[in-house]
Amino acid sequence: MRGWLLLALSVACESTELPRASTFEPEPESCDAVDVDAPRTFVPCSTGSGLFGRWTIDEAGLPAYDYLLDENADARASWFNTEGKDRRDQWFSFGNARVTALATNDGPIELTTQDRGITYLDKIDASQSNFGGGFSYLDDGSVTWSSAYAWRPHDSTTTRRFGMGYARSSIDYRGITLTRTTFAPVGDVRAVIDEVVLANTTSASQRLRHYEVWDVARRPIETNWIVSGLPLSSVPASVEAARDARNAMFDEDVSLDASTGILGLRRTYVSPDARPGIDDVSAMDAYPGDPYLAAIAAPIDAVYTDQTAFFGAGGAANPDAVAARMHGDGATLPRSHGLGQPRTFVMRSDVTLAAGESRTLRFAYGYAPMSEAFDVPKAASLDAERDDLAQHLVYFATPHANGPVTGGALQREMAWHASQIEASVAYRDHWKTHVVPQGSAYLYLHGADGSLRDLALFTIPLAYTHPELAREEIQMMIGTQHSDDGRFSYAFQGNGVLDDALGLHARPSDLDLFFLWALSEYVGATGDTSVVDAHAIASVRHLFDVVGAGPHGLVRLGDGDWNDGIVFSASDRALAIASGESVPNTQMAIAVLPRAADVLEALDPVTADEMRAHVADYRAALPQTWTGSFFGRAYFGDGVLFQGDVIDLESQVWGLIAGAVPDRDALVLAIARTLDDPSDAGAMLAAGGQVWPAISGLLTWGYALSDSPRAWNHLAKNTMAAHALAFPNVWSGIWSGPDGLESRYGDRPGQSWYSAVTPMTDFPVQNNNQHAMPLLALLRTCGVEASASGLVIDPHAPEDFSLETELVDLSRRGTLISGSYRPNAPRTIEVRAPAGRTIASATLDGVSVSVAPNSSSVILATNGSASFAVETTY
């Protein structure tokens, strides 16, 4: 061992000591005015940044979040979880159509895929010396240090940025600046790209060793419905151990192909248990992808593939191999057993930089289907990823402000929501389709995704922001339909497994309605009738013949309507399942089935007429649940109206949307006084209760149909910006969030809900209800909705605005309503004048269209893409 080793070790240890206590305090927030004529020009707006950083605009002119808090030193970064741990890890997601990456505030990145069930390629688990990937170690000949924030030198200068489609960090230390940008290439690419820029800011030449680190730490999240740390804190660890044990089914070989620069790992099945066929339905993945790390534009001077030897006693803060300048192993180690995941991927590049010189190293980390060739995306670029993402963003501009939630905050947030939906996309091999999952704890902790109602909710905005993805979402729903009785599965998991959550949700009664809603919205908006087939008729038959109606003429409850736990509120759950009736299901049927009937008319006119007849029956039955100022919630089979004496938001919103309310003004007032006005960020489910975007987002739509100012205000109030203003110390809810959050009246104000079954607090972000529902609310408030033949444009916004999506653009300027529509089939555009106005004139592609005198609407027919302009007058 050479003499300089002891000096290098001592300096390296000093350079990686934990930083001193943080004194970070957020700057006052501000927001520039939005140009309504330039919705794609994002303005600087830090409103809603919270404690942890600051919203900004990146070099591409897109919103980004700069994470600024020192989570290692600042106790305010710690957050509640069911295991009772002092967790300070916070993360952000980006991805493409095949992988989703989770970038942490500590620096490391985890990569996931859902091909055969949700799986981590490099799960962070410090207890097993698994530290994730996407970070570096540098050696300038005297000192070694890490680029990851968690192990940075205490006197370095760092940045961390969460951007649309990428994560970026930088560290400036000893005259070397390392900037890392990680992004996912466009399309079905099974990899992320790491671009590492090394810059020498000194006046002397620098010889560096750069170590690119990506771990091999596969964790398949096989479905387990009991993963909470409450009441037993040992449960999560035991579940993780069982999942990790699946790696024992394989032996692993690592090799380096010097000609291609690919360091890859191949697995061989060695379990004595019978292996399912590759196409068999299976909860267990017996054919996991093979991971790799590739040097696209970087020299490979050494590779390190033994995890223990590389990190050694120094761990992630000061790896033995880096500190001691050990030679690499050349990826020539003998085959190893997969249990414990003993391998890692580290590539060393020796670089000399002249004074003031910089150099970019490019790497790819990903996987290939088992035994298939590694397909490295060498030409991928962040610009191409941004260009693709730009097609699917929502561009919105308005001068409106609801208190501090200004037009700039709304502009940023609507685009951000669309980008986060795109980041979540995955592919499911069994169904051969992409899917926008619900995500959060359901997917990443339980290992199952659903319910279909959530996929349907996501389909509505996707029909406008990404129609092809909306189509695939419908195909995914169809893939979960049982052929024997037409029912939809509650959830799906693994490779083609349909799941009813241990039998607790074998008979939900709302899924047919959600499917028919999504189908009719997509078909109406796009004109794509290819998805209208026997599956839709089977869904209708299941709704009428299996779910059916109860003794009061309302749609049956089953073992849950859109509230999975509703039957647990009954004193006799079995009776509630057998004979209970759902008020929200009935309201939703009144709202959804007429349009679905119109869509199905050409396929099956008899069924369409039957649907309309049932709607009439439901409409006649619903008033008996009206209590004078709101609707009761359900019947549980005992003839008593549940919650007839207390308002519950679940049983109000679809009534507003359906227009099936005996006294609309009374209902709006009851909701406002009890559930909306007392809340800081969106209407609560019950007085003093939680806020759930899937329901509060629909309330905005319900408001819009009769009370435009209240809808406009609730749109802004029901945002992440409003949540961050009310609860700045809660990280979930700033750039992503769960599907339900505590109001200020809860035990943990502003934080995620949880239960003994679902520890949502333990994975409180990446739920697409948080991202899709504000977009749905925006579309409806702006007046965009589908009919069976095309679009209905009926703006409910009380002020001017601009809205641009992939399918439709819409603008209101005073009395002028204009826009463009880009379907691929003949469609109609019905433009309705605001209340109290009539249509003065209309043009389609610049050609005048005849308008009858005193008309309150005009219908424009087009064979494809078209622009329109309608002038209204009082």
Side-chain angles (χ1 to χ4, degrees):
M1 191 174 292
R2 287 177 285 185
W4 51 259
L5 173 59
L6 293 179
L7 174 62
L9 281 171
S10 64
V11 174
C13 289
E14 180 182 357
S15 70
T16 55
E17 70 180 41
L18 287 176
R20 294 180 292 272
S22 171
T23 58
F24 170 73
E25 290 297 336
E27 297 177 5
E29 296 180 349
S30 62
C31 198
D32 287 1
V34 175
D35 184 349
V36 182
D37 293 321
R40 293 174 182 251
T41 301
F42 294 95
V43 301
C45 183
S46 60
T47 301
S49 294
L51 168 72
F52 303 90
R54 192 171 182 87
W55 286 106
T56 188
I57 302 295
D58 68 12
E59 75 281 1
L62 297 172
Y65 189 85
D66 285 338
Y67 192 99
L68 300 172
L69 189 73
D70 181 359
E71 68 274 12
N72 296 320
D74 197 322
R76 294 174 298 179
S78 185
W79 46 280
F80 174 86
N81 56 89
T82 67
E83 295 181 83
K85 294 181 177 179
D86 180 13
R87 290 188 62 175
R88 304 187 184 194
D89 55 319
Q90 293 147 28
W91 59 94
F92 152 81
S93 65
F94 62 94
N96 58 21
R98 181 67 68 157
V99 297
T100 299
L102 283 59
T104 68
N105 54 351
D106 277 342
I109 295 172
E110 298 171 324
L111 191 63
T112 69
T113 174
Q114 296 179 44
D115 292 356
R116 302 175 61 83
I118 180 68
T119 300
Y120 287 83
L121 273 68
D122 60 334
K123 186 73 181 79
I124 296 171
D125 189 337
S127 68
Q128 300 185 58
S129 295
N130 297 136
F131 303 112
F135 60 95
S136 309
Y137 295 97
L138 280 175
D139 177 2
D140 66 3
S142 298
V143 173
T144 65
W145 68 93
S146 175
S147 72
Y149 188 84
W151 310 299
R152 73 198 187 284
H154 74 271
D155 51 350
S156 61
T157 301
T158 61
T159 67
R160 290 164 290 173
R161 173 167 290 181
F162 301 155
M164 287 187 175
Y166 69 94
R168 179 175 293 154
S169 63
S170 72
I171 181 168
D172 189 345
Y173 187 61
R174 291 176 60 85
I176 300 296
T177 299
L178 183 155
T179 303
R180 175 186 299 275
T181 303
T182 311
F183 64 93
V186 175
D188 280 276
V189 179
R190 300 178 177 91
V192 292
I193 300 295
D194 243 347
E195 289 186 344
V196 179
V197 179
L198 296 171
N200 177 9
T201 61
T202 72
S203 58
S205 177
Q206 296 269 18
R207 297 179 61 187
L208 303 172
R209 288 186 172 191
H210 173 270
Y211 298 78
E212 175 76 4
V213 180
W214 286 90
D215 206 357
V216 177
R218 173 180 175 261
R219 178 171 289 171
I221 310 299
E222 286 186 25
T223 296
N224 190 319
W225 292 103
I226 308 298
V227 294
S228 176
L230 292 174
L232 295 177
S233 60
S234 61
V235 168
S238 65
V239 172
E240 291 167 359
R243 289 165 170 169
D244 291 347
R246 289 299 192 190
N247 291 310
M249 298 189 302
F250 306 95
D251 279 350
E252 298 176 344
D253 294 280
V254 179
S255 63
L256 173 67
D257 186 333
S259 65
T260 61
I262 298 174
L263 179 61
L265 181 146
R266 297 295 189 183
R267 293 185 173 95
T268 302
Y269 189 83
V270 295
S271 172
D273 298 331
R275 190 183 196 185
I278 193 169
D279 295 323
D280 290 353
V281 172
S282 176
M284 175 189 68
D285 184 6
Y287 301 86
D290 291 332
Y292 71 85
L293 174 62
I296 298 174
I300 303 176
D301 292 290
V303 296
Y304 304 80
T305 62
D306 186 305
Q307 185 188 81
T308 299
F310 180 77
F311 288 108
N318 188 31
D320 287 1
V322 177
R325 286 195 165 184
M326 294 179 181
H327 296 296
D329 56 42
T332 58
L333 300 176
R335 172 177 289 190
S336 63
H337 192 52
L339 186 64
Q341 294 288 270
R343 297 292 174 235
T344 194
F345 291 152
V346 180
M347 284 184 173
R348 196 188 83 212
S349 300
D350 299 345
V351 178
T352 299
L353 297 176
E357 183 185 4
S358 65
R359 180 171 177 181
T360 300
L361 309 179
R362 283 170 55 88
F363 303 90
Y365 175 73
Y367 70 101
M370 180 175 268
S371 302
E372 293 186 17
F374 296 120
D375 186 11
V376 179
K378 295 183 178 181
S381 71
L382 179 57
D383 286 343
E385 194 277 337
R386 282 173 167 153
D387 289 345
D388 180 74
L389 180 61
Q391 302 176 64
H392 310 304
L393 297 182
V394 172
Y395 302 96
F396 176 64
T398 178
H400 172 75
N402 178 26
V405 181
T406 62
L410 285 171
Q411 181 195 38
R412 175 196 73 220
E413 184 156 327
M414 295 305 165
W416 186 264
H417 285 312
S419 75
Q420 283 295 281
I421 291 173
E422 294 294 322
S424 73
V425 177
Y427 188 82
R428 289 285 182 158
D429 284 351
H430 176 81
W431 289 282
K432 295 180 173 57
T433 187
H434 294 99
V435 61
V436 174
Q438 184 177 184
S440 65
Y442 305 115
L443 181 65
Y444 289 92
L445 297 182
H446 283 309
D449 205 62
S451 167
L452 177 141
R453 70 178 69 99
D454 299 283
L455 304 191
L457 285 171
F458 310 155
T459 300
I460 307 303
L462 283 170
Y464 302 93
T465 65
H466 197 160
E468 176 54 36
L469 191 52
R471 187 182 196 280
E472 292 195 75
E473 198 83 334
I474 289 173
Q475 291 174 326
M476 183 69 235
M477 288 185 269
I478 289 173
T480 68
Q481 188 176 41
H482 292 264
S483 59
D484 55 349
D485 61 0
R487 71 183 176 94
F488 290 101
S489 175
Y490 175 77
F492 54 93
Q493 51 137 313
N495 190 54
V497 177
L498 301 182
D499 198 306
D500 61 9
L502 304 177
L504 294 176
H505 303 305
R507 289 181 285 171
S509 58
D510 62 317
L511 303 187
D512 299 306
L513 291 168
F514 274 96
F515 171 73
L516 292 169
W517 177 31
L519 180 75
S520 58
E521 184 90 23
Y522 168 77
V523 172
T526 66
D528 177 11
T529 60
S530 65
V531 293
V532 181
D533 58 18
H535 295 283
I537 303 302
S539 177
V540 174
R541 291 266 55 91
H542 180 264
L543 175 64
F544 293 156
D545 302 342
V546 180
V547 174
H552 295 87
L554 307 177
V555 177
R556 290 266 305 282
L557 191 62
D559 57 19
D561 47 21
W562 66 345
N563 181 333
D564 292 333
I566 184 63
V567 293
F568 292 98
S569 298
S571 58
D572 187 334
R573 180 173 179 267
L575 178 62
I577 293 173
S579 304
E581 296 164 276
S582 169
V583 172
N585 276 3
T586 305
Q587 295 169 338
M588 186 178 182
I590 295 170
V592 166
L593 292 184
R595 186 191 309 164
D598 293 344
V599 168
L600 296 178
E601 180 75 37
L603 178 66
D604 189 337
V606 174
T607 297
D609 284 343
E610 183 183 0
M611 295 166 73
R612 297 182 185 106
H614 277 287
V615 169
D617 292 339
Y618 299 146
R619 191 176 287 275
L622 186 62
Q624 65 191 297
T625 67
W626 179 250
T627 67
S629 57
F630 58 85
F631 290 101
R633 179 60 178 82
Y635 289 107
F636 289 147
D638 54 6
V640 177
L641 181 63
F642 176 64
Q643 291 187 333
D645 58 346
V646 59
I647 188 170
D648 184 310
L649 190 60
E650 289 178 350
S651 51
Q652 318 308 321
V653 292
W654 278 110
L656 289 173
I657 294 167
V661 183
D663 188 338
R664 189 178 189 93
D665 290 343
L667 179 54
V668 169
L669 182 61
I671 293 171
R673 284 180 173 176
T674 307
L675 308 178
D676 186 0
D677 293 347
S679 176
D680 303 280
M684 301 172 288
L685 292 182
Q690 299 166 347
V691 178
W692 285 61
I695 300 165
S696 57
L698 291 175
L699 175 62
T700 304
W701 178 13
Y703 276 157
L705 298 175
S706 63
D707 191 336
S708 295
R710 184 169 284 279
W712 205 232
N713 288 333
H714 193 256
L715 176 70
K717 181 180 180 179
N718 196 34
T719 57
M720 294 193 300
H723 185 271
L725 288 167
F727 311 104
N729 290 7
V730 180
W731 74 277
S732 55
I734 296 177
W735 58 84
S736 186
D739 58 348
L741 290 155
E742 297 284 351
S743 69
R744 62 188 173 98
Y745 303 99
D747 294 337
R748 294 167 295 101
Q751 298 184 47
S752 172
W753 74 279
Y754 74 96
S755 71
V757 175
T758 298
M760 187 60 66
T761 50
D762 299 6
F763 202 109
V765 289
Q766 290 176 250
N767 188 290
N768 275 316
N769 281 292
Q770 181 73 246
H771 300 299
M773 295 309 296
L775 298 181
L776 188 155
L778 174 68
L779 287 163
R780 295 306 198 243
T781 305
C782 290
V784 179
E785 191 171 353
S787 68
S789 61
L791 290 188
V792 175
I793 305 297
D794 185 10
H796 304 294
E799 299 186 44
D800 289 352
F801 67 87
S802 294
L803 172 69
E804 296 182 8
T805 70
E806 181 177 344
L807 184 68
V808 62
D809 300 340
L810 180 62
S811 168
R812 198 182 90 166
R813 298 291 185 278
T815 58
L816 179 65
I817 301 170
S818 62
S820 58
Y821 181 28
R822 293 172 287 276
N824 293 319
R827 295 280 84 194
T828 62
I829 309 167
E830 180 184 356
V831 181
R832 297 175 182 173
R837 299 186 192 179
T838 58
I839 306 296
S841 63
T843 62
L844 184 66
D845 287 332
V847 178
S848 294
V849 175
S850 177
V851 179
N854 300 316
S855 295
S856 60
S857 67
V858 60
I859 297 178
L860 311 172
T862 175
N863 288 322
S865 296
S867 60
F868 61 92
V870 175
E871 185 69 46
T872 65
T873 185
Y874 288 100

